[in-house]
């Protein structure tokens, strides 16, 4: 599997560290409660299909990126920098 | 000798000597082991898996189920090698296997007599009584009888290599379709990689007699090979088997670099793993001929027709003197012509419906006779023949195209599974596409290469399509022969018969996967290439289901068996993982260090001095030296991360549980990081170098993960923060200098700095100069002594160690290793890796007060959960044996006195233990339920696996200088 | 027909014409007391124990493909109970005890073979961790032995003791651990359950849940029609999230691919199961002679039942580092299973937060060894509506509460367990 790193170009997946689903959003600030955090930390949609997910180019540019990948076929539609995806 | 007088692709000027089962033979360069055995009239080559039936050579390729040998001997012994794919070399040594005492007389053939009982799956129905006999009697017998060849048990002496290839077009297989495709793309300037598992190019053209452009096909192959070699963007890899298709158009292949040599040359790998990334791929892997299931179809002498054709035409041998043919395809008739041309008698051509020339017999072979084949039976009539060639139809070799999940579909026109929708970027050509005639193969190769070029935006130069001879390819089917006498085999190696398939169906194993698993059909070393489809067809017939509906099993890599060594490459033994050495490594080695693996790092564990008899003596001396004088310890492996930018302080506040934004410049602070689930992640220190610049440290084990975590926070969670971070672990060498004399020593090293307690107190930090270079100085103490850590650029690390040794010589500066470091930190109750095990909370480690209530930080919310702060959780305590001199060890569990050693009394465990010089006894840290309220209580440290049971007193985890006077001194 | 050497010989005399199907190929009835979704080992074992132990026989097992086609048929067949944490040990020990009597219980030879499981350690810290684990096992009455380097040499002299990157310092041995024949386990449970009246319905995929007016699950919609049920029990590890989503649930689970490998058949050379403590590699040798080995998950979410080449290389590197004699053995087959990786690495056997629905999920890569206990405890939960004591810790709400069972201490990152 080859990941299209926005900085480095297409690189083998073994250069990357995988984190998982990019969808969960960390609850905001010191006000958020236990339940909100538990919901952020533990349950996952575990999508069967196209999914946006976080990969870290540990052996390359050391950037977190968001990759769109199909979990059934491993087909990759594209990737963006995580900090840009957030904006 | 059965070598034909002329012809073939062998080099008669290069005779090669070889042995089989200790007997000497001769072949020629260009032979395979199988062809050389045939040329030497060796008919019996192997024994089958279950019944140990005598077997000969069935095929001329990787689908061979029978002719398995152990190649070479000693540490290079290579069991289960297919004689049909072994390239002959001078001095080759091969032995038959799975027989005792000899191939000709195999005692295990008694299994054949028991074959009425030893049917498919019989072992699931018996061997259950008495229960204890399974491991003691039945299983050892089964294990000994099973298996094929034997490993030597010795380390593989050869080396393996890896390489990467990137190409516009990958062509898999160098038969007519593949060659045509590679030529077309190569002429257009595309980067082409063509891989061929054989040692010669040409594929079927090596074995069959055809004309291309009015010349013998061999001449065309030679011309194409020459042109490919001349094209700068084309690479041809022979002896290279493409075994797997993976995601994103990547492939794995293995090149047999030195398997055709007695031993690899010095420095030469035996095999090389190729990892290939291709923009487009053409699969031109041809097709595999099917056997026909009739009684006695496994007798040595029964062969695939295509194999007979190869042995006659390519290798110039006569597998037999009278070769009968049983054909369902037109290729059987082509074989008859080839045999006659070679002067070999063809006593009968049998086809079910009599199609063929005038001499054809309409009928079926129902039985065979002879130890090796002497005669066949057709419609009750015996026909003498020493070889029977079966032309049973063709299975396109689509395994690699199926690896990514494409499902084969049944094509009724050619009676075979084909792939209608290959994976993205891949096209099929020639027989692999189900197009069996030579003309179609050439057409496919040309067309698919042009399509790939068009896809890639590369203009194709138009070359003429070569003219080919006509090549009719009619295919019929006959899945089993009615009225067969004797066992009719479907899977030869695993002895799966037509009756076994019927039995499996009767017992309800009606999916192709159940059939495979119950009968072991297709699970042998030929991976089902020889007979699996036949078995599936029999199942479909028995269940009255169409083949297309029944389907076939899913192909997975590897498409050919591949040596485990080839996958591992050079990453074996001592080279399994990289070795990371600190800048002071050589210095430590010179000073008698023993090293310990900490992740990939080598760290000095202790320094043995002359006269010291064991490690404990050295470690105790080192720890004592730190408490009484001064010691130096290389702590470079701790992770170091620089965090800079206007929002650096904010970022660190969110990373650590405690406040880092309030840290003044020139100070350092201990910090605790949690995971978002509230458990402890890592600890270390943060030092503020400037308003907008910190350097933080991590544990050695977590250095990479903390870096990743910091970047995650910066890139994903809070990209709005203007803070940069970079790992500088490798850039800085860092040394701890600890002990009452530490200040004196440091002052000698840094004469220009004011190191007085007032100017540079505990937890101070500074950027300074050492020998005209940058340095960083921290007043940190892991040992509880007056201590410093000094960091210098890594290239000066060794010099720093030497300078410290020199400067401290007069007062006995002592290098200490990780063991003494451990002793010192246990005496001080500092948690380390054994306590920071990912299962502990800040509360467990007595650090609950470090969770700031004034800010958000990673892990804040979930750390507050009741389950994580439950007082009954095992919590950090100190432990001292009640009886002096007794030893307590890490891993012992803590139980109340007098309670039975059972789980319900388990209250915790010992995390770290050491011999403490200051206590003059063994001490330990442990996690004990409700620990802090039990100081003074006595409990047991029980280790059933060691048979020890030590009474210990619960105490404060700080065994030494609890007020911390010394470190502030 | 009862299986025995006598029936086998009798059938041999008549060409084995008398054997009937191992299990009935049932057609779905309109309603059952219990519908078990998933015809893997866990689902089939649940059906067997429901019928045998709890007397509930009006049960259907619905399977989308062929029984045993998921992880039950694509694993490395290891059985062991060498766990660390009190939430796990009693459960896996119950499983081990059930394995020890399985063949007699099922009248099916599943080739349960207790040839030992040896975990190697390569540092003092790792030895301490194994000592902690071994002691936890012994306190629970489970067998465990701590071996020093010499002990490991005696057990497996062919390991690399001389030039290893990470020298072998010792190991933790569970002699009662071993392997079992995975397909036979599935077929044995299917046959035994079927004999007691359980309907095993293959090629029947669940497409939705039937809900009562109060929202309770009262049946399943399938590709073969609607089936009503008193209780619906999910045992679809690998696909738990997909199926649970039909009931509106989000689980603390990610699906990941784990590859495994087998070599060509070889004469016996490796005793029992051996795991490498400094790399991702474990190995055993099957009764047919194949070296069965594997390593780490690929690490990315996947439902594709196949992995990629880097993990193959990584696993073989571990193998060659540990036992360089296998370099010339050939890797013959590989496969990929889809693991329910939970956020703490331990499974879930619990009521779903929807009435009428029961959950058996999250087996990570440890589901095979758990098969008998999983079936027994799940059957207990379904029949009694109370957790079996050995599985009481496998609650779904433990994640939110923080009472996680995290053997590796990796936290809520599914691919690190």
């Amino acid at each position: 599997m080859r990941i299209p790193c926005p900085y480095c170009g297409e690189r083998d997946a073994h250069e990357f560290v995988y984190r998982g689903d990019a969808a969960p959003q960390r609850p905001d600030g010191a006000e958020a409660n236990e339940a909100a955090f538990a919901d952020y930390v533990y349950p996952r949609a575990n999508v069967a299909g196209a999914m946006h997910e976080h990969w870290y180019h540990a052996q390359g540019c050391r950037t977190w990126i968001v990759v769109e990948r199909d979990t059934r076929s491993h087909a990759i539609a594209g990737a963006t920098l995580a900090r840009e995806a957030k904006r | 000798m059965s070598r034909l007088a002329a012809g073939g692709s062998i080099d008669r000027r290069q005779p090669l000597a070889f042995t089989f089962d200790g007997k000497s033979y001769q072949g020629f360069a260009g032979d395979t082991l199988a062809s050389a055995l045939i040329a030497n009239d060796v008919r019996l080559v192997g024994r089958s898996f279950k019944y140990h039936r005598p077997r000969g050579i069935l095929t001329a390729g990787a689908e061979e189920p029978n002719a398995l040998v152990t190649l070479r001997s000693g540490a290079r012994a290579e069991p289960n090698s297919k004689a049909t794919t072994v390239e002959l070399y001078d001095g080759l040594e091969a032995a038959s296997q799975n027989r005792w005492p000899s191939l000709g007389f195999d005692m295990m053939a008694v299994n054949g007599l028991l074959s009425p009982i030893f049917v498919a799956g019989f072992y699931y129905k018996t061997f259950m009584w008495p229960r204890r006999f399974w491991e003691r009697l039945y299983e050892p017998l089964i294990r000994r009888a099973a298996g094929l060849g034997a490993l030597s048990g010795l380390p593989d002496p050869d080396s393996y290599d890896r390489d990467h290839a990137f190409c516009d077009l990958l062509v898999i297989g160098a038969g007519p379709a593949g060659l045509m495709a590679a030529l077309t793309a190569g002429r257009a300037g595309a980067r082409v990689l063509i891989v061929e598992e054989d040692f010669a190019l040409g594929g079927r053209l090596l074995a069959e007699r055809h004309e291309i452009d009015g010349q013998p096909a061999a001449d065309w192959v030679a011309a194409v090979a020459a042109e490919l070699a001349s094209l700068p963007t084309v690479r041809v890899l022979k002896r290279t088997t493409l075994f797997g298709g993976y995601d994103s158009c990547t492939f794995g292949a293995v090149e047999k670099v030195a398997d055709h040599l007695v031993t690899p040359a010095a420095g030469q790998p035996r095999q090389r793993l190729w990892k290939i990334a291709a923009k487009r791929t053409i699969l031109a892997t041809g097709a595999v001929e099917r056997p026909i299931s009739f009684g006695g179809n496994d007798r040595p002498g029964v062969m695939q027709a295509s194999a007979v054709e190869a042995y006659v035409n390519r290798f110039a041998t006569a597998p037999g003197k009278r070769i009968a043919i049983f054909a369902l395809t037109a290729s059987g008739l082509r074989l008859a012509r080839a045999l006659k041309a070679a002067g070999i008698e063809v006593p009968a051509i049998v086809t079910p419906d009599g199609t063929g020339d005038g001499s054809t017999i309409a009928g079926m072979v129902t039985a065979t006779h002879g130890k090796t084949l002497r005669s066949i039976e057709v419609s009750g009539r015996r026909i003498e023949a020493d070889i029977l060639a079966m032309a049973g139809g063709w299975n396109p070799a689509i395994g690699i195209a199926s690896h990514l999940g494409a499902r084969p579909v049944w094509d009724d026109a050619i009676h075979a599974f084909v792939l209608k929708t290959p994976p993205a970027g891949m096209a099929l050509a020639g027989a692999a596409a189900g197009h069996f005639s030579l003309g179609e193969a050439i057409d496919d190769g040309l067309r698919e290469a042009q399509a790939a070029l068009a896809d890639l935006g590369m203009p194709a130069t138009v070359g003429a399509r070569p003219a080919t001879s006509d090549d009719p390819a009619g295919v019929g089917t006959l899945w089993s022969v009615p009225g067969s006498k004797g066992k009719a085999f479907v899977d030869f190696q695993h002895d799966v018969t037509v009756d076994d398939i019927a039995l499996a169906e009767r017992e309800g194993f009606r999916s192709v996967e159940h059939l495979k698993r119950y009968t072991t059909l297709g699970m042998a070393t030929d991976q089902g290439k020889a007979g699996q489809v036949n078995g599936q067809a029999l199942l479909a017939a028995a269940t009255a289901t169409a083949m297309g509906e029944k389907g076939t099993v899913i192909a997975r890599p590897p498409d050919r068996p591949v040596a485990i060594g080839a996958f591992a490459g050079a990453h074996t033994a001592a080279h399994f993982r990289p070795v990371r050495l600190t800048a002071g490594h050589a210095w430590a080695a010179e000073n008698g260090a023993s090293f310990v693996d900490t992740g990939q790092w080598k760290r000095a564990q202790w320094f043995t001095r002359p006269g010291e008899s064991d490690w404990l003596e050295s470690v105790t001396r080192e720890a004592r030296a730190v408490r009484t004088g001064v010691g130096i310890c290389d702590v470079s492996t701790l992770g170091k991360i620089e965090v800079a930018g206007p929002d650096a302080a904010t970022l660190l506040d969110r990373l650590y549980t405690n406040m880092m934004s309030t840290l003044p410049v020139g100070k350092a602070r201990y910090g605790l990081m949690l995971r978002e689930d509230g458990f402890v992640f890592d600890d270390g220190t943060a030092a503020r170098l400037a308003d907008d610049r910190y350097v933080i440290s991590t544990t050695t084990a977590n250095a990479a993960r903390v870096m990743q975590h910091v970047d995650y926070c910066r890139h994903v969670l809070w990209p709005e923060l203007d803070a940069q971070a970079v790992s500088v672990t490798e850039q800085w060498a860092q040394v701890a200098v600890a002990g009452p004399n530490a200040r004196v020593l440091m002052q000698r090293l840094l004469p220009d700095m004011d190191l007085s307690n007032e100017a540079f107190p505990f937890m101070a930090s500074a950027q300074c100069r050492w020998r005209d270079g940058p340095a960083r100085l921290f007043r940190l103490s892991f040992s509880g002594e007056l201590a410093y850590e000094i960091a210098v650029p890594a290239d000066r690390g060794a010099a720093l160690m030497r300078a410290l040794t020199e400067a401290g010589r007069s007062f006995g500066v002592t290098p200490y290793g990780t063991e003494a470091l451990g002793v010192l930190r246990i005496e001080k109750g500092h948690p380390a890796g054994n306590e920071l095990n990912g299962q502990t909370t800040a509360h467990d480690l007595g650090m609950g007060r470090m969770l700031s209530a004034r800010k958000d930080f990673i892990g804040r919310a979930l750390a507050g959960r009741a389950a994580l702060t439950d007082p009954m959780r095992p919590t950090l305590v100190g432990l001292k044996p009640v009886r002096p001199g007794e030893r307590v060890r890490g891993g012992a569990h803590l139980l109340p006195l007098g309670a039975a050693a059972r789980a319900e009394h388990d209250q915790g465990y010992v995390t770290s233990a050491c011999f403490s010089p200051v206590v003059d006894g063994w001490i330990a840290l442990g996690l004990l339920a409700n620990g802090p309220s039990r100081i003074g209580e006595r409990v047991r440290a029980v280790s059933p696996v060691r048979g020890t049971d030590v009474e210990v007193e619960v105490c404060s985890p700080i065994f030494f200088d609890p007020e911390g006077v010394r470190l502030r001194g | 027909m009862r299986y025995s050497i006598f029936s086998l010989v009798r059938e041999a005399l008549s060409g084995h014409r008398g054997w009937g199907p191992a299990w009935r190929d049932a057609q779905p009835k309109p309603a059952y007391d219990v519908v078990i979704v998933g015809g893997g080992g866990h689902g089939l074992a649940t059906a067997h124990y429901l019928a045998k132990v709890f007397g509930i026989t009006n049960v259907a097992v619905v399977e989308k493909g062929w029984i045993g086609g998921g992880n039950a048929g694509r694993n490395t067949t290891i059985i062991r109970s060498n766990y660390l944490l009190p939430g796990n040990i009693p459960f896996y020990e119950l499983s081990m005890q059930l394995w020890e009597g399985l063949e007699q219980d099922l009248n099916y030879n599943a080739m349960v073979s207790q040839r030992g499981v040896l975990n190697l350690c390569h540092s003092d810290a790792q030895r301490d961790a194994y000592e902690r684990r071994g002691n936890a096992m012994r306190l629970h009455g489970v067998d465990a032995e701590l071996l020093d380097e010499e002990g490991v040499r005696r057990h497996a002299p062919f390991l690399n003791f001389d030039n290893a990157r990470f020298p072998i310092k010792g190991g933790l041995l569970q002699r009662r651990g071993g392997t079992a024949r995975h397909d036979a386990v599935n077929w044995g449970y299917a046959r035994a359950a079927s004999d007691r009246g359980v309907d095993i319905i293959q090629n029947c995929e669940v497409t939705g849940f039937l809900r009562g007016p109060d929202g309770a699950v009262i049946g399943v919609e399938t590709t073969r029609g609607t089936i009503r049920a008193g209780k619906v029990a999910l045992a679809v590890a690998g696909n738990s999230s997909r199926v649970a989503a039909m009931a509106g649930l989000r689980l603390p689970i990610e699906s990941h691919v784990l590859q495994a490998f087998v070599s060509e058949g070889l004469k016996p050379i490796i005793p029992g199961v051996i795991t490498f403590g400094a790399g991702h590699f474990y190995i055993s040798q099957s009764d047919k002679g194949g070296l069965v080995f594997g390593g780490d998950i690929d690490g990315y979410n996947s439902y594709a039942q196949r992995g990629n080449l880097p993990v193959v290389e990584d696993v073989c590197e571990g193998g060659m580092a540990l036992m360089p004699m296998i370099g010339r053995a050939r890797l013959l087959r590989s496969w990929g299973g889809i693991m329910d990786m939970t956020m703490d690495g331990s499974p879930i056997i619990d009521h779903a937060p929807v009435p009428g629905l029961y959950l058996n999920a999250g087996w990570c890569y440890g589901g095979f060894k758990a098969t008998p206990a999983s079936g027994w405890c799940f059957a207990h939960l379904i029949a009694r509506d109370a957790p079996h004591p050995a599985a009481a810790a496998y609650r779904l709400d433990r994640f939110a509460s923080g009472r996680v069972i995290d053997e590796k201490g990796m936290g809520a990152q599914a691919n690190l367990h």
Side-chain angles (χ1 to χ4, degrees), chain A residues 1-3 10 12 14 17-19 21 24-38 40-42 54 56 58 61-66 73-76 81-84 86-87, chain B residues 164 166 246-250 275 277 404 654 676-677 679 704 707-721 723-727 854-862 864-866:
Chain A
M1 188 154 60
R2 292 173 68 74
I3 307 288
E10 213 175 66
D12 197 277
H14 82 262
V17 169
Y18 183 79
R19 169 103 179 191
D21 196 347
Q25 295 292 314
R26 189 175 191 273
D28 206 22
E31 308 311 313
N33 62 17
E34 254 179 53
F37 266 95
Y40 161 66
V41 167
Y42 295 112
H54 284 135
Y56 178 62
C61 58
R62 246 191 55 215
T63 305
W64 282 94
I65 62 177
V66 177
S73 66
H74 302 169
I76 292 168
L81 298 176
R83 53 184 1 150
E84 284 175 6
K86 179 104 174 185
R87 284 184 188 132
Chain B
H164 297 260
F166 300 83
Y246 299 93
D247 286 314
S248 313
C249 294
T250 59
K275 298 193 277 184
L404 292 178
R654 295 179 187 181
E676 195 70 275
D677 68 355
F679 289 82
M707 186 68 242
Q708 184 186 315
H709 177 64
V710 171
D711 283 339
Y712 183 79
C713 292
R714 295 194 307 120
H715 294 164
V716 177
L717 295 184
W718 303 296
E720 69 279 7
L721 294 184
Q724 313 305 316
V726 64
S727 165
R854 291 183 291 142
K855 56 163 189 160
D856 189 25
F857 57 87
I858 299 275
R860 174 193 58 82
L862 296 188
R865 291 180 289 179

Side-chain angles (χ1 to χ4, degrees), chain A residues 1 12-14 18-21 24 34 38-39 41-49 51 53 55 69-74, chain C residues 238 241-242 250-257 299-304 306-308 310 340 343 399-400 402 404 412-413 415:
Chain A
M1 188 154 60
D12 197 277
H14 82 262
Y18 183 79
R19 169 103 179 191
D21 196 347
E34 254 179 53
D39 194 57
V41 167
Y42 295 112
R44 291 285 177 272
N46 199 12
V47 176
M51 172 162 150
E53 50 194 19
W55 293 74
R69 192 180 61 97
D70 193 309
T71 58
R72 293 162 306 182
S73 66
H74 302 169
Chain C
S241 301
R242 291 162 85 164
R250 271 169 88 226
L251 301 177
I253 287 173
E254 291 181 6
S255 293
H256 282 265
V257 60
Y300 43 80
N301 282 39
S302 174
Y303 286 96
R306 58 183 170 75
N308 275 289
D340 265 12
M343 289 294 173
F399 297 95
V404 291
Q413 177 68 34
N415 61 343

Side-chain angles (χ1 to χ4, degrees), chain B residues 64 142 149 210 255 473 497 507 565 858:
Chain B
E64 177 61 38
I142 290 171
H210 293 283
E255 180 184 3
T497 65
E507 295 197 81
I858 299 275

Side-chain angles (χ1 to χ4, degrees), chain B residues 75-134:
Chain B
R76 288 198 163 85
E78 205 182 339
N80 307 338
S81 298
K82 291 164 182 149
T84 50
T85 61
V86 172
E87 184 175 351
L88 195 68
Y89 54 86
D90 200 42
L92 181 148
E93 209 182 330
S96 60
Q97 50 186 40
N98 200 30
R99 79 287 184 269
W100 186 84
S102 74
L103 183 60
F105 179 73
D106 179 5
M107 295 286 281
M108 293 304 291
V110 69
N111 284 4
L113 299 177
L114 293 170
S115 66
I117 293 173
F118 288 4
V119 293
F122 78 98
Y123 29 76
Y124 299 129
K125 299 186 173 104
T126 182
F127 302 132
M128 285 176 277
W129 186 90
R131 203 179 97 186
R132 292 285 165 208
F133 274 35
W134 174 252

